Amino acid sequence: MYAIKYDEPWKVRCVEVDRPEAGENEALIKVRSAGICGSDIGAFRGTNGLVTYPRIIGHEVAGEILSIPENNKKGLKAGDHVIVDPYLYCGSCYPCSIGRTNCCTDLKVLGVHVEGGMAEYFVHPADMLWKLPKDMPWELAPIAEPLTIALHGIHRGGLKAGEHVAIIGAGPIGILAAMAAISYGAHPIMIDLVDERLEEARKLGVQYTINSGREDTAARVSEYTNGRMAELVMECSGANPAVRSTLDLVSNAGRITLTGWPKKETPLPTDVITKKEVDIRGARTSANEFEEAIDLIYSGKVDARKILTKVISIEEAPETIIDIEKNPGDYMKVNVVM
């Protein structure tokens, strides 16, 4: 079968490898579509310190079940369309015991710590698959995975209808968070340095946008919220100055969720945290958000097609990855359809 493989940083190929065979408690899946994620670009550059090489990439994976154990917990069967939960957890550590499997102390992510699913066939634990509607377009299905990450940040922050959420970083996660916030009846404020990204956000229904490179971000947030500031701030960029700015944008008694992954520590004024009595929460990947993400896309409440830049074949993936790395501003979301 064909698969997309990084031999080492800066070396990506479409290679022929052996088709996998399902082991005990595993499903064999004919992959129909797979997304190229920003983390895949980081792995290509060699800047994702968690990735080991060589590595078949791909953690946004959807397909059709070819075989599955009959006793699987969700009652799935051959022929069902599914999306893969890519976060493999141990099931026995403390976080797993309380249902926060995304915080597993031995978490392994497809395409990072273990082989990914950007291939024609894939095997995966039978109980880590989520059923898709049969008529859900394959080119949209992989977007449910990054949407779960956006939803996890929203859930960790307890976003409610009528609230303002300042979202820093208008990449796929930030844009999806804004679209989900609108579906919740909340009011997103999108913050980024790139005008083109902010224009895309406005086209998707985001009323309030701020270019943090040219505008006084805190003053604009104050203007948009009538002085209250944002009840929730979601940091989705991973930039240290952006992490620091969250405390300037959040309301008194507000909440902050940190979804981005900074490369180094960010000094924070703890007196501001105390003065405002801010709740700060990490938001790592996702846990149990797939059903909601699938429903939001399938129902059209989140119009995933609007962020889909391009659909490609698996043979086109290497050259596309190279081009995304060179020209990231030209892409929002690219999916491979087999």
Side-chain angles (χ1 to χ4, degrees):
M1 67 171 186
Y2 287 121
I4 301 303
K5 184 177 184 180
Y6 291 166
D7 296 302
E8 58 185 73
W10 303 106
K11 289 190 177 181
V12 55
R13 295 186 296 148
C14 183
V15 298
E16 281 194 71
V17 297
D18 291 337
R19 174 173 158 170
E21 294 184 7
E24 187 178 0
N25 300 319
E26 288 185 329
L28 175 63
I29 300 161
K30 181 176 177 59
V31 177
R32 297 289 190 160
S33 55
I36 298 173
C37 175
S39 63
D40 295 323
I41 305 304
F44 176 63
R45 294 184 180 123
T47 57
N48 185 338
L50 300 176
V51 179
T52 55
Y53 305 88
R55 178 67 62 219
I56 294 173
I57 64 167
H59 61 270
E60 302 171 3
V61 183
E64 180 180 347
I65 295 175
L66 296 182
S67 67
I68 190 168
E70 290 185 5
N71 62 346
N72 68 88
K73 292 179 182 178
K74 296 175 184 172
L76 296 168
K77 58 186 185 299
D80 283 343
H81 294 185
V82 293
I83 188 166
V84 166
D85 184 337
Y87 305 112
L88 302 172
Y89 55 89
C90 74
S92 58
C93 67
Y94 169 66
C96 287
S97 75
I98 60 171
R100 292 176 64 179
T101 55
N102 59 309
C103 303
C104 174
T105 57
D106 191 32
L107 191 73
K108 291 181 172 59
V109 181
L110 299 186
V112 177
H113 309 90
V114 296
E115 301 292 47
M118 195 171 290
E120 293 180 292
Y121 297 90
F122 187 61
V123 295
H124 199 62
D127 296 330
M128 294 190 67
L129 303 170
W130 296 91
K131 192 172 182 178
L132 297 169
K134 273 289 180 76
D135 57 345
M136 187 169 186
W138 287 120
E139 68 268 22
L140 298 183
I143 297 175
E145 195 282 326
L147 179 54
T148 67
I149 297 173
L151 288 171
H152 192 65
I154 285 173
H155 295 163
R156 291 282 289 158
L159 183 65
K160 303 179 186 68
E163 291 186 326
H164 291 86
V165 51
I167 302 168
I168 306 174
I173 302 299
I175 289 287
L176 287 168
M179 296 169 79
I182 292 170
S183 78
Y184 275 45
H187 308 290
I189 303 169
M190 182 60 70
I191 302 165
D192 202 280
L193 293 165
V194 181
D195 283 328
E196 290 79 8
R197 289 282 174 101
L198 296 173
E199 177 60 29
E200 284 300 313
R202 287 190 288 272
K203 289 178 182 176
L204 295 170
V206 177
Q207 183 178 358
Y208 305 120
T209 61
I210 303 170
N211 186 311
S212 54
R214 294 199 315 268
E215 302 176 81
D216 184 328
T217 307
R220 292 299 301 278
V221 170
S222 179
E223 175 189 334
Y224 290 148
T225 61
N226 293 317
R228 177 181 291 184
M229 307 305 287
E231 293 94 336
L232 174 62
V233 180
M234 283 186 65
E235 204 301 297
C236 301
S237 75
N240 295 97
V243 173
R244 169 60 187 87
S245 75
T246 59
L247 289 170
D248 301 324
L249 309 182
V250 71
S251 67
N252 282 29
R255 294 97 62 198
I256 294 169
T257 55
L258 302 175
T259 298
W261 285 70
K263 295 292 190 295
K264 58 183 180 180
E265 292 182 5
T266 306
L268 295 176
T270 58
D271 58 322
V272 176
I273 298 171
T274 303
K275 180 182 177 182
K276 288 189 172 185
E277 198 173 77
V278 178
D279 293 339
I280 302 177
R281 291 187 166 187
R284 180 183 184 181
T285 62
S286 64
N288 299 310
E289 274 95 4
F290 269 97
E291 282 185 307
E292 182 182 359
I294 292 164
D295 177 67
L296 286 173
I297 292 174
Y298 185 67
S299 66
K301 292 177 182 176
V302 168
D303 191 347
R305 192 173 296 281
K306 289 185 176 178
I307 72 164
L308 186 59
T309 307
K310 193 175 184 181
V311 176
I312 62 172
S313 69
I314 192 168
E315 292 86 356
E316 295 173 299
E319 64 186 62
T320 302
I321 288 168
I322 291 168
D323 196 56
I324 294 172
E325 193 283 325
K326 290 179 180 176
N327 305 290
D330 293 344
Y331 299 89
M332 182 61 71
K333 204 78 191 78
V334 176
N335 286 341
V336 175
V337 173
M338 308 298 175

